[in-house]
Amino acid sequence: MKQESAAQSTPSASPPPSQPPQDDCDPQALWIFGYGSLVWRPDFAYSDSRVGFVRGYSRRFWQGDTFHRGSDKMPGRVVTLLEDREGCTWGVAYQVQGEQVNEALKYLNVREAVLGSYDTKEVTFYPQDTPDQPLKALAYVATPQNPGYLGPAPEEAIATQILACRGFSGHNLEYLLRLADFMQLCGPQAQDEHLAAIVDAVGTMLPCFCPTEQALALV
């Protein structure tokens, strides 16, 4: 098992600090940064999307979920952002414009804030292809002050919880594996030791939880 590390490997690209974040000069445009289920299922209309990263944050499976990936009796584990000076979190930024802005925010308020207990925070997003042209983006972050916050736990304990939980959006294991798949698509520079350790723990435990056929049905 990999040891819990607050710092994640950062990409080799080092954006010049003198370059201010951009907003594409459109006062009616908004960028929304997704680092969890939003990377594969935004479910709102958008005009553009870019893969990239934010600095100063690490992704952690420290938020409880009693709706999408769990229940009141068995909360699932989903990700939030932890402030970390050396951290780097990869995800997808979506641009919404005009009428898309209100529709996206209305939808995300229910999905992330009401059902997920996430707050909003402005972050600086660096596109993978143009890291020297950062963008201001809105991110949904679950803080320790919300009632669903579970906090840190050993990777094995998190893996056990993920294997046991299911919600209205599907099994918690699907959430974990889809996020891992996304990170692989970003390339070797997009490392997440916390995520990788949980995936490894799940791989070790899965045969003990259910036969192969049932395990495949979960995802």
Side-chain angles (χ1 to χ4, degrees), residues 5 11 29 34 38 46 60 68 76 91 119 129 149 152 155 160 175 192:
S5 171
L38 288 178
Y46 56 90
R60 292 290 183 269
H68 295 292
D119 295 327
D129 296 333
Y149 193 78
E155 281 85 4
T160 300
Y175 179 100
D192 188 327

Side-chain angles (χ1 to χ4, degrees), residues 1-4 77 153-164 194 197-205 209:
M1 182 196 78
K2 298 181 179 179
Q3 296 296 317
E4 171 68 18
R77 282 263 184 177
E155 281 85 4
E156 292 88 347
I158 294 176
T160 300
Q161 190 169 354
I162 287 174
L163 283 169
H194 176 70
I198 297 172
V199 171
D200 288 345
V202 163
T204 300
M205 297 177 181
F209 270 74

